[in-house]
Amino acid sequence: MNLSLILQMAADAMPDRVALTSSDDQLTYGELQRLSVAAAKRIGPNRKIAYVAENSAAAPIALFGAALAGVPYVPINYRLAPDRVEALLRRVGPCLLVGEADAVLPQVEQIDPAAFLADLRTFDGETAHDMPEEEGGIAVELFTSGTTGEPKAAILRHNHLLAYILGSVEFMAASEDEAALVTVPPYHIAGVSTVLSSTYAGRRTVQLPSFTPEAWIDLAEREDITQAFLVPTMLQRIVAVGQERGGLHLPALRSIAYGGGRMPLSVIEAAMEMLPDVAFTNAYGLTETSSTIALLGPDEHRVAAASTDPAIRRRLASVGKPLPELEIEIRTASGARCETGETGDLYVRGEQVSGEYAGGAAKDRTDGWFATRDRACLDADGFLFLDGRADDVIVRGGENISPGEIEDVLASHPAVQEAAAVGIPDDEWGEAIGVAVVLRDGMAQPEPEELIDHIRAQLRSSRIPGVIRFIDQLPYNEMGKLLRREIGAILQTSA
Amino acid sequence: MKLKAGTKLESAVCDTQVMVLRVPDRDLDVRCGGVPLQLDPGQQEGEPEAGFDGGTLVGKRYNDADDTMEFLCTRGGAGSLSVDGTLLEQKLAKKLPSSD
């Protein structure tokens, strides 16, 4: 099986439909197929293709070109420091590098994305291309963000990504006026899956390589965007601009999916109020699972938002239910299944689940079950709630403490904009709780005792932080992922 | 014949083309329009037999009643798919909101 099947089917069934708008470039499915075949010939069978640049028409062509050539596509974070990019490229090995890198590496041929495209456009050979038939071939290697350690190269094989697309997207389901605005970068799993989903659905994608809320709103209006995927921080910033402008005028917009991090309740509530005709979907997934594994759909959003029953209303903070072709299980530390409402470790099993890393590092799989390392629980109606990463759990004197509960309580203090809790090494407890607090604009800094009293009033005494520090802003990566390791370092240097 | 995932098959009597997604490890008599599917696109001759002429739809998946096998229709046609004499069913997928 091979991913290029998706493009082949789209190009056969709707060759003249527009596949992609990227600044002034417009490509039909037929052209995308032709350029991808040209790319496959350019890459050849014995090297990978790495992509180290912001999103452009060259990214989906590199993805499908690699599939046609039967070699892995390796998109890398172009925002990393040059020495980090170089270190990752050394791990990739021989490749055609589309993009910029300062390093001159052996067995790496480098080409600028625009030059790559221009080069492919001169191709006048046969567009029919045999699909590689290698069983279990690697389609994509994605470096994890490495917020807690060295980036790992997650391996996604053709069968994983195809299972995800066939199981979750209906072929040609999109009408011709549909257009999806893509803001996730190519090196993120959603940047890969959006290309595949949109191609199979026959939906035009419009790329916005460099996100600002103003640029997103302008492009959404100009291109009659009907749907978009956003990470929570992006939606938060769009809503903030909407509030300044007294509303958003996006009549074509029908749906917004969000994921990639925890969505604050206040943000989704404000977004639903500001865009009452837009259908919201919360998508939860991981790189290792070929993107989405659970969804909270538009109807469930509306029911939860309209309910006065706290148990139903809190579903707005849920990631919904697993995809139909997947199984999930929540287990205790000893491996037993958790009771309803009990928080444990989330496991997932299904054809789209890989859980494999290059070099065989940390293969978190037994009997097909993949340990997501996310903490989670299920409510009585089967809605899935996430409770942070297992790696983020603070173990204080043998007691597991979720940072989220402390952060939520702190954020409910009137002076606090946001807060992050992390474990810091402690001789007596193993780990002590350290919190970094960002104050709201114009609020006076409260005494630490006031915040401690605020926590003590709502949580057990084991949740009282040993270190409290006020900082200007929390460190996030460009996808809005909180960099807890950096917070730990900040708190320890200040101690 | 014995099939494996990823194998492409063509109808001998219509435009139908399928890809094997999942099959049991045994010989299967896979047909379209009542006539055996072929590995290479050959000459199209004749037409689907009665009872095997319901047609296939591009993008749909087809499986047997016990879900031991699954095929993806990569090009639609006038014939219906069958295995060992029994018609395959179109797999009904729950419609999901777009998530990426």
Side-chain angles (χ1 to χ4, degrees):
Chain A
M1 291 209 267
N2 188 284
L3 272 190
S4 60
L5 174 72
I6 287 171
L7 178 58
Q8 182 70 60
M9 286 171 69
D12 280 351
M14 40 192 169
D16 300 323
R17 200 186 266 207
V18 176
L20 173 71
T21 304
S22 178
S23 43
D24 297 334
D25 263 332
Q26 189 112 284
L27 290 178
T28 64
Y29 285 105
E31 288 166 332
L32 185 57
Q33 164 78 358
R34 178 183 180 74
L35 293 171
S36 299
V37 169
K41 301 213 156 121
R42 181 79 169 72
I43 301 162
N46 298 316
R47 56 177 178 173
K48 301 174 184 176
I49 184 161
Y51 185 88
V52 194
E54 61 179 27
N55 215 353
S56 75
I61 291 166
L63 167 62
F64 286 121
L68 281 161
V71 300
Y73 166 64
V74 193
I76 291 174
N77 185 351
Y78 58 91
R79 291 187 179 99
L80 293 175
D83 61 320
R84 301 282 310 281
V85 172
E86 186 182 328
L88 295 181
L89 282 169
R90 283 186 194 283
R91 286 167 63 182
V92 173
C95 66
L96 175 64
L97 165 63
V98 178
E100 295 116 40
D102 289 343
V104 178
L105 292 163
Q107 296 185 294
V108 175
E109 181 199 343
Q110 193 170 325
I111 187 166
D112 173 74
F116 178 61
L117 269 180
D119 196 4
L120 300 181
R121 285 201 160 105
T122 64
F123 172 76
D124 57 3
E126 185 59 45
T127 55
H129 193 285
D130 282 341
M131 209 175 285
E133 277 203 32
E134 185 205 349
E135 243 175 293
I138 297 172
V140 181
E141 293 178 17
L142 277 179
F143 287 100
T144 57
S145 56
T147 48
T148 51
E150 264 307 296
K152 289 184 283 186
I155 286 180
L156 296 172
R157 297 180 184 273
H158 289 275
N159 53 314
H160 300 128
L161 288 160
L162 262 181
Y164 169 64
I165 296 301
L166 298 180
S168 66
V169 184
E170 193 164 344
F171 184 64
M172 278 181 84
S175 55
E176 262 193 89
D177 66 338
E178 286 185 34
L181 185 46
V182 177
T183 48
V184 279
Y187 57 83
H188 191 273
I189 179 60
V192 171
S193 60
T194 193
V195 170
L196 303 175
S197 298
S198 299
T199 302
Y200 201 61
R203 183 179 300 115
R204 179 170 70 107
T205 56
V206 178
Q207 295 176 335
L208 176 61
S210 196
F211 177 85
T212 65
E214 292 83 5
W216 189 91
I217 294 164
D218 289 349
L219 194 56
E221 190 172 8
R222 191 165 73 235
E223 292 286 345
D224 290 325
I225 292 299
T226 56
Q227 58 199 90
F229 175 86
L230 293 165
V231 297
T233 40
M234 290 175 179
L235 184 59
Q236 183 166 27
R237 293 175 64 194
I238 290 165
V239 168
V241 170
Q243 282 164 343
E244 280 165 28
R245 295 183 183 176
L248 292 173
H249 179 69
L250 298 168
L253 189 64
R254 293 175 213 165
S255 60
I256 289 177
Y258 60 90
R262 189 157 171 259
M263 172 65 84
L265 258 187
S266 58
V267 175
I268 186 60
E269 284 173 343
M272 289 177 73
E273 199 180 309
M274 181 173 292
L275 298 165
D277 300 325
V278 170
F280 285 90
T281 296
N282 185 356
Y284 160 60
L286 297 93
T287 302
E288 294 89 338
T289 58
S290 310
S291 195
T292 308
I293 54 174
L295 287 174
L296 185 78
D299 292 341
E300 293 153 338
H301 272 81
R302 290 193 190 102
V303 168
S307 177
T308 51
D309 179 347
I312 292 173
R313 178 138 188 109
R314 80 185 273 270
R315 283 184 200 155
L316 264 190
S318 145
V319 294
K321 298 192 171 178
L323 297 190
E325 298 188 13
L326 283 174
E327 297 170 87
I328 62 165
E329 240 178 58
I330 298 171
R331 301 182 190 165
T332 65
S334 62
R337 281 183 89 140
C338 285
E339 307 284 329
T340 296
E342 184 185 0
T343 300
D345 299 317
L346 177 66
Y347 286 74
V348 60
R349 181 161 75 173
E351 286 183 45
Q352 72 182 67
V353 178
S354 162
E356 181 190 354
Y357 304 98
K363 208 172 174 189
D364 299 329
R365 287 188 68 149
T366 31
D367 296 335
W369 286 102
F370 169 66
T372 64
R373 304 199 62 74
D374 279 328
R375 304 275 296 161
C377 72
L378 285 168
D379 76 4
D381 296 305
F383 285 86
L384 182 66
F385 290 80
L386 298 181
D387 188 28
R389 299 283 295 163
D391 304 313
D392 299 338
V393 168
I394 302 163
V395 186
R396 180 184 182 273
E399 189 177 357
N400 286 346
I401 297 168
S402 161
E405 56 177 327
I406 300 164
E407 291 161 3
D408 286 348
V409 168
L410 280 169
S412 70
H413 186 280
V416 175
Q417 170 75 36
E418 57 178 348
V422 298
I424 50 179
D426 182 89
D427 289 342
E428 188 184 356
W429 296 100
E431 277 188 319
I433 299 166
V435 296
V437 176
V438 178
L439 296 174
R440 284 184 189 278
D441 280 346
M443 296 300 286
Q445 182 172 314
E447 289 299 320
E449 288 71 30
E450 185 183 330
L451 294 181
I452 287 174
D453 287 344
H454 181 73
I455 294 170
R456 199 191 307 274
Q458 296 176 65
L459 298 173
R460 276 184 280 166
S461 61
S462 57
R463 272 65 176 165
I464 303 297
V467 176
I468 294 180
R469 193 168 172 212
F470 297 94
I471 60 176
D472 292 337
Q473 54 184 18
L474 297 180
Y476 288 97
N477 75 6
E478 66 285 352
M479 290 299 289
K481 228 179 220 181
L482 185 61
L483 300 171
R484 291 182 183 273
R485 200 167 42 155
E486 288 189 13
I487 295 169
I490 292 167
L491 292 174
Q492 284 174 66
T493 54
S494 72
Chain B
M1 79 182 121
K2 245 187 189 167
L3 297 168
K4 64 181 175 94
T7 303
K8 263 189 169 176
L9 298 166
E10 309 255 350
S11 169
V13 293
C14 69
D15 292 334
T16 297
Q17 190 184 68
V18 298
M19 179 175 272
V20 179
L21 294 178
R22 195 156 48 81
V23 277
D25 184 24
R26 61 177 171 86
D27 281 327
L28 296 175
D29 178 15
V30 191
R31 297 176 178 231
C32 181
V35 180
L37 283 166
Q38 44 199 18
L39 284 169
D40 297 309
Q43 203 83 48
Q44 263 185 46
E45 272 179 50
E47 49 189 52
E49 291 171 13
F52 296 93
D53 53 0
T56 55
L57 291 171
V58 62
K60 297 295 179 194
R61 289 179 288 168
Y62 293 83
N63 60 0
D64 60 335
D66 297 332
D67 195 27
T68 64
M69 59 187 82
E70 191 171 315
F71 300 83
L72 173 70
C73 176
T74 54
R75 196 171 62 211
S80 300
L81 297 167
S82 63
V83 171
D84 300 338
T86 308
L87 284 172
L88 296 180
E89 296 160 19
Q90 186 182 316
K91 192 166 172 171
L92 293 175
K94 192 180 164 197
K95 200 162 172 7
L96 298 169
S98 172
S99 65
D100 46 28

